[in-house]
Coordinates of all heavy atoms in Angstrom, one line a residue:
M1140 N 19.4 -90.2 -148.6 CA 18.8 -91.2 -147.8 C 18.5 -92.5 -148.5 O 18.0 -92.4 -149.7 CB 17.6 -90.8 -147.1 CG 16.9 -91.8 -146.2 SD 15.4 -91.1 -145.4 CE 15.4 -92.0 -144.0
I1141 N 18.9 -93.6 -148.0 CA 18.7 -94.9 -148.7 C 17.4 -95.5 -148.2 O 17.1 -95.6 -147.1 CB 19.8 -95.8 -148.4 CG1 21.2 -95.4 -149.0 CG2 19.5 -97.3 -149.0 CD1 21.2 -95.4 -150.4
N1142 N 16.5 -96.0 -149.1 CA 15.3 -96.7 -148.8 C 15.5 -98.1 -149.2 O 16.0 -98.4 -150.3 CB 14.1 -96.1 -149.5 CG 13.8 -94.7 -149.0 OD1 13.7 -94.4 -147.8 ND2 13.8 -93.7 -149.9
Y1143 N 15.0 -99.1 -148.4 CA 15.2 -100.5 -148.7 C 13.8 -101.0 -149.0 O 12.8 -100.7 -148.4 CB 15.8 -101.2 -147.5 CG 17.2 -100.7 -147.2 CD1 17.4 -99.7 -146.3 CD2 18.3 -101.1 -147.9 CE1 18.7 -99.2 -146.1 CE2 19.5 -100.7 -147.7 CZ 19.8 -99.8 -146.8 OH 21.1 -99.3 -146.5
Q1144 N 13.8 -102.0 -150.0 CA 12.5 -102.6 -150.3 C 12.8 -104.1 -150.5 O 13.9 -104.5 -150.8 CB 12.0 -102.1 -151.7 CG 11.6 -100.7 -151.7 CD 11.2 -100.3 -153.0 OE1 10.9 -101.0 -153.9 NE2 11.0 -98.9 -153.2
I1145 N 11.8 -104.9 -150.1 CA 11.8 -106.3 -150.3 C 10.9 -106.5 -151.5 O 9.8 -106.4 -151.5 CB 11.4 -107.1 -149.2 CG1 12.3 -106.9 -148.0 CG2 11.3 -108.7 -149.5 CD1 11.9 -107.6 -146.7
N1146 N 11.6 -106.9 -152.7 CA 10.8 -107.0 -153.9 C 11.5 -107.9 -154.9 O 12.7 -108.1 -154.8 CB 10.5 -105.7 -154.5 CG 11.7 -104.9 -154.7 OD1 12.8 -105.3 -154.5 ND2 11.6 -103.6 -155.1
Q1147 N 10.8 -108.5 -155.8 CA 11.4 -109.3 -156.9 C 11.0 -108.7 -158.2 O 11.4 -109.2 -159.3 CB 11.0 -110.7 -156.7 CG 11.7 -111.3 -155.5 CD 11.0 -112.6 -155.1 OE1 10.0 -112.6 -154.4 NE2 11.6 -113.7 -155.6
T1148 N 10.2 -107.6 -158.2 CA 9.9 -107.0 -159.5 C 10.6 -105.6 -159.6 O 10.2 -104.6 -158.9 CB 8.3 -106.8 -159.5 OG1 7.7 -108.0 -159.4 CG2 7.9 -106.2 -160.9
I1149 N 11.7 -105.6 -160.3 CA 12.4 -104.4 -160.6 C 12.5 -104.2 -162.0 O 12.7 -105.2 -162.8 CB 13.8 -104.5 -159.9 CG1 13.6 -104.8 -158.4 CG2 14.6 -103.2 -160.1 CD1 15.0 -105.1 -157.6
A1150 N 12.4 -103.0 -162.5 CA 12.4 -102.7 -164.0 C 13.8 -103.2 -164.5 O 14.8 -103.1 -163.9 CB 12.3 -101.2 -164.2
K1151 N 13.6 -103.7 -165.8 CA 14.8 -104.2 -166.5 C 15.9 -103.2 -166.6 O 17.1 -103.5 -166.5 CB 14.3 -104.8 -167.8 CG 15.4 -105.4 -168.6 CD 15.1 -105.8 -170.1 CE 13.7 -106.3 -170.2 NZ 13.4 -106.8 -171.6
T1152 N 15.6 -101.9 -166.8 CA 16.5 -100.9 -167.1 C 17.3 -100.6 -165.7 O 18.5 -100.4 -165.8 CB 15.9 -99.6 -167.6 OG1 14.8 -99.2 -166.6 CG2 15.3 -99.7 -169.0
D1153 N 16.6 -100.7 -164.6 CA 17.2 -100.4 -163.3 C 18.2 -101.6 -163.0 O 19.4 -101.3 -162.6 CB 16.2 -100.3 -162.2 CG 15.4 -99.1 -162.3 OD1 15.9 -98.0 -162.7 OD2 14.2 -99.1 -161.8
L1154 N 17.8 -102.8 -163.2 CA 18.6 -104.0 -163.0 C 19.8 -104.0 -163.9 O 21.0 -104.2 -163.4 CB 17.9 -105.2 -163.2 CG 16.9 -105.7 -162.1 CD1 16.1 -107.0 -162.5 CD2 17.7 -106.0 -160.7
T1155 N 19.6 -103.6 -165.2 CA 20.7 -103.7 -166.2 C 21.7 -102.6 -165.8 O 22.9 -102.9 -165.8 CB 20.2 -103.4 -167.5 OG1 19.3 -104.4 -167.9 CG2 21.3 -103.3 -168.5
K1156 N 21.3 -101.4 -165.4 CA 22.2 -100.3 -165.0 C 23.0 -100.7 -163.8 O 24.2 -100.5 -163.8 CB 21.4 -99.1 -164.7 CG 22.2 -97.9 -164.4 CD 21.4 -96.6 -164.2 CE 22.2 -95.4 -163.7 NZ 21.4 -94.3 -163.5
L1157 N 22.3 -101.3 -162.7 CA 23.2 -101.7 -161.5 C 24.1 -102.8 -161.9 O 25.3 -102.7 -161.4 CB 22.1 -102.1 -160.5 CG 22.8 -102.5 -159.2 CD1 23.6 -101.5 -158.5 CD2 21.8 -103.1 -158.2
Y1158 N 23.7 -103.8 -162.6 CA 24.6 -105.0 -162.9 C 25.8 -104.5 -163.7 O 26.9 -105.0 -163.5 CB 23.9 -106.2 -163.5 CG 23.2 -107.1 -162.4 CD1 22.1 -106.7 -161.8 CD2 23.8 -108.3 -162.0 CE1 21.5 -107.6 -160.9 CE2 23.3 -109.1 -161.1 CZ 22.0 -108.8 -160.6 OH 21.5 -109.6 -159.7
N1159 N 25.5 -103.6 -164.6 CA 26.5 -103.1 -165.5 C 27.6 -102.2 -164.7 O 28.7 -102.3 -165.0 CB 26.1 -102.3 -166.7 CG 25.5 -103.2 -167.8 OD1 25.9 -104.3 -167.9 ND2 24.7 -102.6 -168.6
S1160 N 27.0 -101.5 -163.7 CA 27.8 -100.6 -162.9 C 28.9 -101.4 -162.1 O 30.0 -100.8 -161.8 CB 27.0 -99.8 -161.9 OG 26.6 -100.5 -160.8
V1161 N 28.7 -102.6 -161.8 CA 29.8 -103.4 -161.2 C 30.5 -104.4 -162.1 O 31.3 -105.2 -161.7 CB 29.2 -104.2 -160.0 CG1 28.6 -103.2 -158.9 CG2 28.0 -105.2 -160.4
G1162 N 30.2 -104.2 -163.4 CA 30.9 -105.1 -164.4 C 30.4 -106.5 -164.6 O 31.2 -107.3 -165.0
W1163 N 29.2 -106.8 -164.1 CA 28.7 -108.1 -164.3 C 27.9 -108.3 -165.6 O 26.7 -108.5 -165.6 CB 27.7 -108.4 -163.0 CG 28.5 -108.6 -161.7 CD1 29.8 -108.2 -161.4 CD2 28.0 -109.2 -160.5 NE1 30.1 -108.5 -160.2 CE2 29.1 -109.1 -159.5 CE3 26.9 -109.7 -160.2 CZ2 28.9 -109.5 -158.3 CZ3 26.7 -110.2 -158.8 CH2 27.7 -110.1 -157.9
F1164 N 28.6 -108.2 -166.6 CA 28.0 -108.2 -168.0 C 27.5 -109.6 -168.3 O 26.6 -109.7 -169.2 CB 29.0 -107.7 -169.0 CG 29.6 -106.3 -168.6 CD1 30.9 -106.1 -168.3 CD2 28.7 -105.2 -168.7 CE1 31.4 -104.9 -167.9 CE2 29.2 -104.0 -168.3 CZ 30.6 -103.8 -168.0
A1165 N 28.0 -110.6 -167.7 CA 27.4 -112.0 -168.0 C 25.9 -112.1 -167.7 O 25.2 -112.7 -168.3 CB 28.2 -113.0 -167.3
Y1166 N 25.5 -111.3 -166.7 CA 24.1 -111.2 -166.3 C 23.3 -110.4 -167.3 O 22.2 -110.6 -167.6 CB 23.9 -110.6 -164.9 CG 24.2 -111.5 -163.7 CD1 25.4 -111.7 -163.3 CD2 23.2 -112.1 -163.1 CE1 25.7 -112.6 -162.3 CE2 23.4 -113.0 -162.0 CZ 24.7 -113.2 -161.6 OH 24.9 -114.0 -160.5
T1167 N 23.9 -109.3 -167.8 CA 23.2 -108.4 -168.7 C 23.2 -108.7 -170.1 O 22.5 -108.1 -170.8 CB 23.6 -106.9 -168.4 OG1 25.0 -106.8 -168.7 CG2 23.4 -106.5 -166.9
N1168 N 24.1 -109.6 -170.4 CA 24.2 -110.0 -171.9 C 22.9 -110.7 -172.3 O 22.5 -110.7 -173.4 CB 25.4 -110.9 -172.2 CG 26.6 -110.2 -172.1 OD1 26.7 -108.9 -172.4 ND2 27.7 -110.8 -171.9
T1169 N 22.3 -111.4 -171.3 CA 21.0 -112.1 -171.5 C 20.0 -111.5 -170.5 O 19.8 -112.1 -169.5 CB 21.0 -113.6 -171.5 OG1 21.7 -113.9 -170.3 CG2 21.9 -114.2 -172.6
R1170 N 19.4 -110.3 -170.8 CA 18.6 -109.7 -169.8 C 17.3 -110.5 -169.4 O 16.7 -110.5 -168.4 CB 18.1 -108.3 -170.3 CG 19.4 -107.4 -170.3 CD 19.0 -106.0 -170.7 NE 20.2 -105.3 -171.1 CZ 20.3 -104.6 -172.2 NH1 19.3 -104.5 -173.0 NH2 21.4 -104.0 -172.5
V1171 N 16.8 -111.3 -170.5 CA 15.7 -112.2 -170.1 C 16.1 -113.2 -169.0 O 15.3 -113.4 -168.1 CB 15.3 -113.0 -171.4 CG1 14.2 -114.0 -171.1 CG2 14.7 -112.0 -172.5
N1172 N 17.2 -113.8 -169.0 CA 17.7 -114.6 -167.9 C 17.9 -113.8 -166.6 O 17.5 -114.3 -165.6 CB 19.0 -115.3 -168.4 CG 18.9 -116.3 -169.5 OD1 17.8 -116.5 -169.9 ND2 19.9 -116.8 -170.0
L1173 N 18.3 -112.6 -166.8 CA 18.5 -111.8 -165.5 C 17.2 -111.6 -164.9 O 17.0 -111.7 -163.6 CB 19.2 -110.5 -165.8 CG 19.2 -109.5 -164.7 CD1 20.0 -110.1 -163.5 CD2 19.9 -108.1 -165.1
M1174 N 16.2 -111.3 -165.7 CA 14.9 -110.9 -165.2 C 14.2 -112.2 -164.5 O 13.7 -112.2 -163.4 CB 13.9 -110.4 -166.2 CG 14.4 -109.1 -166.8 SD 14.6 -107.7 -165.6 CE 12.9 -107.4 -165.1
A1175 N 14.4 -113.3 -165.2 CA 13.9 -114.6 -164.6 C 14.6 -115.0 -163.4 O 14.0 -115.4 -162.4 CB 14.1 -115.6 -165.7
A1176 N 15.9 -114.7 -163.3 CA 16.7 -115.2 -162.1 C 16.2 -114.3 -161.0 O 16.1 -114.8 -159.8 CB 18.2 -114.9 -162.4
V1177 N 16.0 -113.0 -161.1 CA 15.5 -112.2 -160.1 C 14.1 -112.5 -159.6 O 13.9 -112.7 -158.4 CB 15.6 -110.7 -160.4 CG1 14.9 -109.8 -159.4 CG2 17.1 -110.3 -160.6
A1178 N 13.3 -112.8 -160.7 CA 11.8 -113.1 -160.3 C 11.8 -114.4 -159.6 O 10.8 -114.6 -158.7 CB 11.1 -113.2 -161.6
N1179 N 12.7 -115.3 -159.9 CA 12.6 -116.7 -159.2 C 13.4 -116.8 -157.9 O 13.5 -117.9 -157.4 CB 13.0 -117.7 -160.2 CG 12.1 -117.9 -161.3 OD1 10.9 -117.9 -161.1 ND2 12.5 -118.0 -162.6
S1180 N 14.0 -115.7 -157.5 CA 14.7 -115.6 -156.2 C 13.8 -115.9 -155.0 O 12.6 -115.5 -155.1 CB 15.5 -114.4 -156.1 OG 16.5 -114.3 -157.2
L1181 N 14.4 -116.4 -154.0 CA 13.5 -116.5 -152.8 C 13.2 -115.1 -152.2 O 12.1 -114.8 -151.7 CB 14.2 -117.3 -151.7 CG 14.3 -118.8 -152.1 CD1 15.1 -119.6 -151.0 CD2 13.0 -119.5 -152.3
M1182 N 14.2 -114.3 -152.3 CA 14.0 -112.9 -151.8 C 15.0 -111.9 -152.5 O 16.1 -112.4 -152.8 CB 14.1 -112.8 -150.3 CG 14.0 -111.4 -149.7 SD 14.3 -111.3 -147.9 CE 12.8 -112.0 -147.3
V1183 N 14.6 -110.7 -152.7 CA 15.4 -109.7 -153.2 C 15.2 -108.4 -152.3 O 14.1 -108.0 -152.1 CB 15.1 -109.4 -154.7 CG1 15.9 -108.2 -155.2 CG2 15.2 -110.6 -155.6
V1184 N 16.4 -108.0 -151.8 CA 16.3 -106.7 -151.0 C 17.1 -105.7 -151.8 O 18.2 -105.9 -152.3 CB 16.9 -106.9 -149.6 CG1 17.0 -105.5 -148.9 CG2 16.3 -108.0 -148.8
S1185 N 16.4 -104.6 -152.2 CA 17.0 -103.6 -153.0 C 17.1 -102.3 -152.2 O 16.3 -102.0 -151.2 CB 16.1 -103.3 -154.3 OG 14.8 -103.0 -153.9
A1186 N 18.1 -101.5 -152.6 CA 18.4 -100.3 -152.0 C 18.2 -99.1 -153.0 O 18.7 -99.2 -154.1 CB 19.8 -100.2 -151.5
W1187 N 17.5 -98.1 -152.6 CA 17.1 -97.0 -153.5 C 17.5 -95.7 -153.0 O 17.4 -95.4 -151.8 CB 15.6 -97.0 -153.8 CG 15.1 -98.3 -154.4 CD1 14.9 -99.4 -153.8 CD2 14.9 -98.6 -155.8 NE1 14.5 -100.4 -154.7 CE2 14.5 -99.9 -155.9 CE3 15.0 -97.7 -156.9 CZ2 14.2 -100.4 -157.1 CZ3 14.7 -98.3 -158.2 CH2 14.3 -99.6 -158.3
A1188 N 18.1 -94.8 -153.8 CA 18.4 -93.4 -153.4 C 17.9 -92.5 -154.5 O 18.2 -92.7 -155.7 CB 20.0 -93.2 -153.3
D1189 N 17.0 -91.6 -154.1 CA 16.3 -90.7 -155.0 C 15.8 -91.5 -156.2 O 16.0 -91.2 -157.4 CB 17.3 -89.7 -155.5 CG 17.8 -88.9 -154.5 OD1 17.0 -88.5 -153.5 OD2 19.0 -88.4 -154.5
N1190 N 15.0 -92.6 -155.9 CA 14.4 -93.4 -156.9 C 15.3 -94.1 -157.9 O 14.9 -94.5 -159.0 CB 13.3 -92.6 -157.7 CG 12.1 -92.2 -156.8 OD1 11.7 -93.0 -156.0 ND2 11.7 -91.0 -156.9
Q1191 N 16.6 -94.2 -157.5 CA 17.5 -95.0 -158.4 C 18.0 -96.2 -157.6 O 18.3 -96.1 -156.4 CB 18.7 -94.0 -158.6 CG 18.4 -93.0 -159.6 CD 19.7 -92.2 -160.0 OE1 20.8 -92.7 -159.9 NE2 19.5 -91.0 -160.7
L1192 N 18.0 -97.3 -158.3 CA 18.5 -98.5 -157.7 C 20.0 -98.5 -157.5 O 20.8 -98.3 -158.4 CB 18.2 -99.7 -158.6 CG 18.6 -101.1 -158.1 CD1 17.9 -101.5 -156.9 CD2 18.3 -102.2 -159.2
V1193 N 20.5 -98.5 -156.2 CA 21.9 -98.4 -155.9 C 22.5 -99.6 -155.2 O 23.6 -99.7 -155.0 CB 22.2 -97.1 -155.0 CG1 21.8 -95.8 -155.8 CG2 21.5 -97.3 -153.8
G1194 N 21.6 -100.6 -154.9 CA 22.1 -101.8 -154.3 C 21.1 -102.9 -154.4 O 19.9 -102.7 -154.5
L1195 N 21.5 -104.1 -154.2 CA 20.7 -105.3 -154.4 C 21.3 -106.4 -153.7 O 22.6 -106.7 -153.8 CB 20.4 -105.6 -155.8 CG 19.5 -106.7 -156.1 CD1 18.5 -106.4 -157.2 CD2 20.3 -108.0 -156.6
V1196 N 20.6 -107.3 -153.0 CA 21.0 -108.6 -152.4 C 20.0 -109.6 -152.9 O 18.7 -109.3 -152.8 CB 21.0 -108.6 -150.9 CG1 21.3 -110.0 -150.4 CG2 22.0 -107.5 -150.3
R1197 N 20.5 -110.7 -153.5 CA 19.5 -111.7 -154.1 C 19.8 -112.9 -153.4 O 20.9 -113.4 -153.2 CB 19.8 -111.8 -155.6 CG 18.7 -112.8 -156.2 CD 18.8 -112.5 -157.8 NE 20.1 -113.1 -158.4 CZ 20.0 -114.4 -158.8 NH1 19.0 -115.2 -158.7 NH2 21.2 -114.9 -159.4
I1198 N 18.7 -113.5 -152.8 CA 18.8 -114.8 -152.0 C 18.1 -115.9 -152.8 O 17.0 -115.7 -153.3 CB 18.1 -114.5 -150.7 CG1 18.9 -113.4 -149.9 CG2 18.2 -115.8 -149.9 CD1 18.1 -112.9 -148.7
V1199 N 18.9 -117.0 -152.9 CA 18.3 -118.1 -153.6 C 18.5 -119.4 -152.7 O 19.1 -119.3 -151.7 CB 19.1 -118.4 -155.0 CG1 18.9 -117.2 -155.9 CG2 20.6 -118.7 -154.7
G1200 N 17.7 -120.4 -153.0 CA 17.8 -121.6 -152.2 C 16.6 -122.6 -152.6 O 15.9 -122.3 -153.6
D1201 N 16.4 -123.6 -151.8 CA 15.5 -124.6 -152.1 C 14.1 -124.4 -151.5 O 13.1 -125.2 -151.7 CB 16.0 -126.1 -151.7 CG 16.2 -126.2 -150.2 OD1 15.8 -125.3 -149.4 OD2 16.9 -127.2 -149.9
G1202 N 14.0 -123.3 -150.8 CA 12.7 -123.0 -150.1 C 12.4 -123.7 -148.9 O 11.3 -123.6 -148.3
E1203 N 13.2 -124.7 -148.5 CA 13.0 -125.4 -147.3 C 14.1 -125.3 -146.3 O 13.9 -124.9 -145.1 CB 12.8 -126.8 -147.7 CG 11.7 -127.2 -148.5 CD 10.3 -126.9 -147.8 OE1 10.2 -127.2 -146.6 OE2 9.4 -126.5 -148.5
T1204 N 15.3 -125.7 -146.6 CA 16.3 -125.7 -145.6 C 17.6 -125.0 -146.0 O 18.4 -124.7 -145.1 CB 16.7 -127.2 -145.2 OG1 17.2 -127.8 -146.4 CG2 15.6 -128.0 -144.7
I1205 N 17.7 -124.7 -147.3 CA 18.9 -124.1 -147.7 C 18.7 -122.7 -148.4 O 17.8 -122.6 -149.3 CB 19.7 -125.0 -148.8 CG1 20.0 -126.4 -148.2 CG2 21.0 -124.3 -149.3 CD1 20.9 -126.4 -147.0
I1206 N 19.4 -121.7 -147.9 CA 19.4 -120.4 -148.6 C 20.8 -119.9 -148.6 O 21.7 -120.2 -147.8 CB 18.5 -119.4 -148.0 CG1 19.0 -119.0 -146.5 CG2 17.1 -119.8 -147.9 CD1 18.3 -117.8 -146.0
F1207 N 21.1 -119.1 -149.7 CA 22.3 -118.5 -149.8 C 22.3 -117.2 -150.5 O 21.4 -117.0 -151.3 CB 23.6 -119.4 -150.2 CG 23.4 -119.8 -151.7 CD1 24.1 -119.1 -152.6 CD2 22.8 -120.9 -152.1 CE1 24.0 -119.5 -154.0 CE2 22.6 -121.3 -153.4 CZ 23.2 -120.6 -154.4
I1208 N 23.2 -116.3 -150.3 CA 23.2 -115.0 -151.0 C 24.0 -115.2 -152.3 O 25.1 -115.6 -152.3 CB 23.9 -113.9 -150.1 CG1 23.1 -113.6 -148.9 CG2 24.1 -112.7 -151.0 CD1 23.7 -112.6 -147.9
Q1209 N 23.2 -115.0 -153.3 CA 23.8 -115.2 -154.6 C 24.6 -113.9 -155.2 O 25.6 -114.1 -155.7 CB 22.7 -115.6 -155.7 CG 23.2 -115.7 -157.0 CD 24.2 -116.8 -157.3 OE1 24.2 -117.8 -156.7 NE2 25.1 -116.6 -158.3
D1210 N 23.9 -112.9 -155.0 CA 24.4 -111.6 -155.5 C 24.3 -110.5 -154.4 O 23.3 -110.4 -153.7 CB 23.6 -111.1 -156.7 CG 23.6 -112.0 -157.9 OD1 24.4 -112.9 -158.0 OD2 22.6 -111.9 -158.7
I1211 N 25.4 -109.8 -154.3 CA 25.4 -108.5 -153.5 C 26.0 -107.4 -154.4 O 27.2 -107.6 -154.9 CB 26.3 -108.6 -152.3 CG1 25.8 -109.7 -151.3 CG2 26.4 -107.3 -151.5 CD1 26.7 -110.0 -150.1
L1212 N 25.2 -106.4 -154.6 CA 25.7 -105.4 -155.6 C 25.5 -104.0 -155.0 O 24.5 -103.8 -154.4 CB 24.9 -105.4 -156.9 CG 25.0 -106.7 -157.8 CD1 23.9 -107.6 -157.5 CD2 25.1 -106.2 -159.2
V1213 N 26.5 -103.2 -155.1 CA 26.3 -101.8 -154.6 C 27.0 -100.9 -155.8 O 28.2 -101.1 -156.2 CB 27.1 -101.4 -153.3 CG1 27.0 -100.0 -153.0 CG2 26.5 -102.3 -152.3
D1214 N 26.2 -100.0 -156.3 CA 26.7 -99.2 -157.4 C 28.0 -98.4 -156.8 O 27.9 -97.7 -155.9 CB 25.6 -98.1 -157.7 CG 26.1 -97.3 -159.0 OD1 27.2 -97.0 -159.2 OD2 25.1 -96.9 -159.6
P1215 N 29.1 -98.5 -157.6 CA 30.3 -97.9 -157.0 C 30.2 -96.4 -157.0 O 31.0 -95.7 -156.3 CB 31.4 -98.4 -158.0 CG 30.6 -99.0 -159.2 CD 29.3 -99.4 -158.7
K1216 N 29.3 -95.8 -157.8 CA 29.1 -94.3 -157.7 C 28.4 -93.9 -156.5 O 28.3 -92.7 -156.2 CB 28.5 -93.8 -158.9 CG 29.2 -94.0 -160.2 CD 28.5 -93.6 -161.4 CE 29.3 -94.0 -162.7 NZ 28.5 -93.9 -163.9
C1217 N 27.8 -94.8 -155.8 CA 27.0 -94.5 -154.6 C 27.9 -94.6 -153.3 O 28.4 -95.6 -152.9 CB 25.8 -95.6 -154.4 SG 24.8 -95.3 -152.9
T1218 N 28.1 -93.4 -152.8 CA 29.1 -93.4 -151.6 C 28.2 -92.6 -150.5 O 27.2 -91.9 -150.7 CB 30.3 -92.6 -151.9 OG1 30.0 -91.2 -152.2 CG2 31.1 -93.2 -153.0
V1219 N 28.7 -92.8 -149.3 CA 28.1 -92.1 -148.1 C 28.1 -90.6 -148.4 O 27.2 -89.9 -148.0 CB 28.9 -92.5 -146.9 CG1 28.4 -91.6 -145.7 CG2 28.7 -94.0 -146.6
H1220 N 29.2 -90.1 -149.0 CA 29.4 -88.7 -149.2 C 28.3 -88.1 -150.1 O 27.8 -87.0 -150.0 CB 30.7 -88.3 -149.8 CG 31.8 -88.8 -148.8 ND1 32.1 -88.2 -147.6 CD2 32.7 -89.8 -148.9 CE1 33.1 -88.8 -147.0 NE2 33.4 -89.8 -147.8
N1221 N 28.0 -88.8 -151.2 CA 27.0 -88.2 -152.1 C 25.6 -88.6 -151.8 O 24.6 -88.2 -152.5 CB 27.3 -88.6 -153.6 CG 27.2 -90.0 -153.9 OD1 26.5 -90.7 -153.2 ND2 27.7 -90.5 -155.1
L1222 N 25.4 -89.2 -150.7 CA 24.0 -89.5 -150.2 C 23.5 -88.6 -149.1 O 22.4 -88.5 -148.8 CB 23.9 -91.0 -149.7 CG 24.1 -92.1 -150.8 CD1 24.1 -93.3 -150.1 CD2 23.0 -92.0 -151.8
A1223 N 24.4 -87.9 -148.5 CA 24.0 -87.0 -147.4 C 23.3 -85.8 -148.0 O 23.2 -85.4 -149.1 CB 25.3 -86.5 -146.8

């Protein structure tokens, strides 16, 4: 079962593992920047399966009129078949 959370505080190890799983190494090469980017996002929606981060949507914007989805990540090892 997938549990969703709205949060901006996610452990560095969990974020690194998820971003690496989709090959987004530019984010994980400078983990300090990754942590700051997530913390400074307008909203972060994360997906968890068995206490493991398996997905994330990061929303950024100006806080007034403009928002956009910056990142959408789903761990490729996370499938409907292995979540049942």
